[in-house]
Amino acid sequence: MRGVSPKYYPPVENLLDLIYEHYTENNSIAPKTTEAGKEAKQKEKDLETWLRGIAGMDVLVDDYGGDIPLWEKIMDRQGSVCCAWEKTAFEEGMKVGMRLMLEALGI
C-alpha cells in the first residue's frame, strides 16, 4: 500500500477535503431546518437589499462571459469568501476532534 496514492471521488486533494465534500452535500444549512440557516438567509437578503440601494450597483460587469449587475457580482464574491471560511472552520474542528479522541484514548 505504501507509495500508492489513493483515488478519492469526487476528486479532492486529501481525505479531509473528501470528508468536507460529503458533509456539505448531506448537511446543508437549509433555512427551513435550522435557526442558523434562517438567520444566515436573512442576513444575505439584508446585504442584497443594502447593495441594491447604493448608487451605481446596477452597472453591468463581466461574469464568466456574461454580464451581471455589480451588486450580484459582489454577492457572489461574498459567498465565496464565506464558503472558504466555513471550510477552514470545519477542517480545524475536525483536527481538534481528532486530537481530543487521541488524548481520550491515550494514544
Side-chain angles (χ1 to χ4, degrees):
M1 292 293 301
R2 291 179 201 258
V4 176
S5 297
K7 302 246 187 292
Y8 300 121
Y9 182 82
V12 293
E13 292 183 25
N14 56 55
L15 188 54
L16 197 52
D17 285 347
L18 181 65
I19 292 168
Y20 180 74
E21 271 302 311
H22 286 283
Y23 171 79
T24 55
E25 288 228 358
N26 297 300
N27 296 293
S28 65
I29 300 178
K32 299 174 200 164
T33 59
T34 67
E35 287 303 313
K38 291 176 190 174
E39 188 176 329
K41 197 65 172 168
Q42 185 58 50
K43 285 182 185 275
E44 186 176 48
K45 285 181 183 178
D46 293 346
L47 176 61
E48 181 181 329
T49 301
W50 180 75
L51 284 171
R52 285 177 158 217
I54 297 173
M57 283 293 157
D58 290 333
V59 171
L60 296 179
V61 295
D62 182 53
D63 186 61
Y64 305 107
D67 290 334
I68 62 171
L70 179 57
W71 68 264
E72 193 172 333
K73 183 74 170 188
I74 293 170
M75 291 292 292
D76 182 52
R77 294 280 173 98
Q78 172 265 341
S80 296
V81 169
C82 288
C83 288
W85 279 109
E86 177 187 34
K87 183 174 187 268
T88 299
F90 177 87
E91 289 175 350
E92 293 306 312
M94 289 290 290
K95 291 174 188 176
V96 168
M98 288 179 222
R99 281 188 218 114
L100 181 62
M101 286 178 54
L102 290 173
E103 285 180 25
L105 296 172
I107 297 174

